[in-house]
Amino acid sequence: MTLKSTIELANGVAMPTFGLGVWQMKDGEEVSNAVKWAIEAGYVSIDTAAEYGNESGVGKGIKESGINREDLFVTTKVRSEMQGYESTLQAYENSLERLGLDYVDLYLVHWPVEGKTKDTWRALEKLYKDKKVRAIGVCNFHVHHFEELLKDAEIVPMVNQIELHPLLSQEPIREYCNEHNIVVEAYSPLGSGKILNHPVIQEIAAKYNKTVAQVLLRWDIQIGVVTIPKSTHKERIYENADIYDFELTQEDMDNINALNKNERVGGDPENLPI
């Protein structure tokens, strides 16, 4: 595998297995620089969201990088406040305008919202059928969210982007997604920094002469999920991608797997603020 390796989605679209996440990056120079550095380092996947408030800066970074649009895989998401059929169609157009793009490769429902997500999904299905997006999916879905959605959906979500790291390994939903040909994508793969001092992973990192972050991201690759680490620092953006010259042993994988505590650093889809 390499930085440009892909996984095939249910509709045949090739999705990069590694990308840059831009959650909590400031719009403007901070995010546009991070995007440019990532593309310079060889990243081909950029993940943003309307809720992050930085789509304009992401678009600026893409434009200034000089990369051909078709060589990049761009993801954004419909925010919860815009869920609903017509409002989602409008939200997509708004995102395109901010990004300065003609299409995005992957459009996601950011959170499940009771009473709205089915209409939101119908809008995503329309965008997909109208060839305005290459692939559609969801974020933060548990099994019961899928079961409810699929009672009426015409298209099964192609991706489920969820918080995933060794303290929250998400095995039940990963197993469900695997059975239904839904690609799992890990956000906050470094546990928002809260795992970087974990002695077990520090010991493994020392063994391979790698950073803790590199070990965590290599673990993602080896369990078969897409990963989108975030960094605003050029050297870390390069460093995070340097994970293809070593392989964790099964013993090391088992030791990392054993760290799961079902412990979140982000929001819980079962306890949403709206």
Side-chain angles (χ1 to χ4, degrees), residues 203-248:
E203 186 177 335
I204 292 171
K207 181 171 114 177
Y208 292 94
N209 196 28
K210 287 288 184 179
T211 67
V212 169
Q214 288 168 331
V215 167
L216 292 170
L217 297 171
R218 182 69 205 186
W219 175 77
D220 281 343
I221 295 297
Q222 289 186 217
I223 63 172
V225 304
V226 173
T227 189
I228 45 170
K230 166 216 164 186
S231 181
T232 56
H233 303 284
K234 185 175 183 178
E235 64 277 9
R236 290 213 188 97
I237 287 170
Y238 272 79
E239 191 178 83
N240 285 343
D242 186 19
I243 59 171
Y244 297 97
D245 59 351
F246 76 109
E247 185 173 349
L248 297 168

Side-chain angles (χ1 to χ4, degrees), residues 83-86 88 115-124 149:
Q83 284 205 34
Y85 184 76
E86 294 293 345
T88 294
K116 289 190 175 181
T117 297
K118 286 192 178 187
D119 285 338
T120 304
W121 187 249
R122 280 198 305 115
L124 264 68
L149 184 71

